[in-house]
Amino acid sequence: MSDVQNLAPELAAKIERLDALLDSIAARHIDVKFASSLAAEDMLLTHAILSRGVKIGIFTLNTGRLHAETLGMLDRVRARYGYDIEQFHPQTAAVDEYVAAHGLNAFYESIDLRKRCCEIRKVEPLNRALSGVSAWVTGQRREQSVTRAELHEEEHDAARHIAKFNPLADWTEADVWAYLAAFDVPVNPLHARGYPSIGCEPCTRAIRPGEDSRAGRWWWESRDTKECGLHITTIPIAVSTESASA
């Protein structure tokens, strides 16, 4: 395991602040959960939580359309940390109804049908996962896309009436990969094949040189529609460095 003191000062400071923030979140919300996509940012947070025994539960949304490589990360987390990430699946009846009415891959036909598929496979399972909790954590970063440019470290999830935390909001892609390398964190092999952002298999492609990191998600849509509905009903809350370290 890497010694934080041997890292670049700026990254070391970010890691120390991240650890303090995660400790603060767990202290403020004893029932908090972290929603992991099993991609790079979320593996960073998984390591930061599990390697230090932070009391934050981790779950993932198993949509039924994930890459085999993504599902394989569940076994790698179990082998490395001795932790079983909780899985939430879509309701079978809702999936069957959608497929019968529109077809298995109808999400290519319109934004409405794509968002309906995301609602069934991701949003409804997320709502079940977060039922009864007072806060959740994500791996979102401002740098990821235009739809996340104003991302705050702490927000109010207005749809679920709970707190929402984005501890990596100000981290860069370079920060993320420096951390993963320093602590030898397991990562999804799809990243090495040109997938910086990984979702369902039919809705994700490798990006081309010069494209932003979210360009491979729902690539047939315009940049300003590329969200699935998990992260669009939040109200920002200003959080100071002092409060995060408390």
Side-chain angles (χ1 to χ4, degrees):
M1 180 175 292
S2 176
D3 183 347
V4 172
Q5 300 304 317
N6 293 331
L7 298 175
E10 183 177 353
L11 179 59
K14 282 189 174 182
I15 293 172
E16 290 177 4
R17 189 176 187 285
L18 171 64
D19 289 346
L21 178 57
L22 292 174
D23 290 342
S24 174
I25 293 169
R28 292 166 58 191
H29 300 277
I30 60 172
D31 54 0
V32 61
K33 288 185 177 182
F34 165 45
S36 172
S37 68
L38 305 169
E41 288 82 2
D42 294 340
M43 289 307 301
L44 185 165
L45 288 174
T46 294
H47 179 85
I49 291 168
L50 297 181
S51 66
R52 298 189 310 110
V54 182
K55 300 301 183 182
I56 296 177
I58 306 175
F59 70 91
T60 194
L61 304 177
N62 187 337
T63 66
R65 301 299 300 271
L66 299 179
H67 297 80
E69 292 88 344
T70 299
L71 293 174
M73 295 303 297
L74 296 169
D75 291 333
R76 296 180 68 185
V77 169
R78 185 182 304 111
R80 172 71 178 272
Y81 305 101
Y83 185 90
D84 283 308
I85 292 179
E86 187 176 10
Q87 299 181 59
F88 285 84
H89 301 260
Q91 300 282 5
T92 301
V95 172
D96 290 346
E97 181 180 352
Y98 177 92
V99 173
H102 308 291
L104 181 63
N105 296 326
F107 41 79
Y108 292 130
E109 298 175 12
S110 72
I111 292 176
D112 286 343
L113 284 174
R114 195 272 291 171
K115 289 185 175 180
R116 178 56 183 153
C117 186
C118 289
E119 173 75 25
I120 292 169
R121 294 183 182 274
K122 300 176 74 173
V123 178
E124 190 280 330
L126 177 70
N127 290 340
R128 276 188 280 120
L130 297 178
S131 176
V133 308
S134 62
W136 65 302
V137 176
T138 87
Q140 293 184 104
R141 296 185 295 109
R142 296 185 193 116
E143 190 186 65
Q144 287 173 324
S145 71
V146 294
T147 59
R148 298 179 180 180
E150 302 299 322
L151 188 70
H152 286 68
E153 199 170 74
E154 181 175 352
E155 301 173 321
H156 173 67
D157 185 333
R160 301 173 185 89
H161 307 292
I162 60 177
K164 180 180 178 182
F165 296 91
N166 309 299
L168 302 180
D170 67 345
W171 282 54
T172 66
E173 184 178 358
D175 292 334
V176 171
W177 285 98
Y179 181 106
L180 295 172
F183 293 96
D184 193 27
V185 179
V187 296
N188 192 319
L190 291 173
H191 290 305
R193 302 177 201 164
Y195 290 75
S197 179
I198 302 170
C200 291
E201 184 171 13
C203 297
T204 310
R205 65 160 172 81
I207 66 170
R208 303 181 182 94
E211 290 185 315
D212 69 62
S213 64
R214 296 274 292 178
R217 303 293 296 277
W218 309 295
W219 68 90
W220 62 93
E221 296 181 10
S222 64
R223 294 180 69 199
D224 59 357
T225 64
K226 293 188 175 186
E227 291 291 351
C228 59
L230 301 182
H231 303 295
I232 60 174
T233 54
T234 53
I235 300 170
I237 298 174
V239 180
S240 69
T241 302
E242 289 77 14
S243 65
S245 302

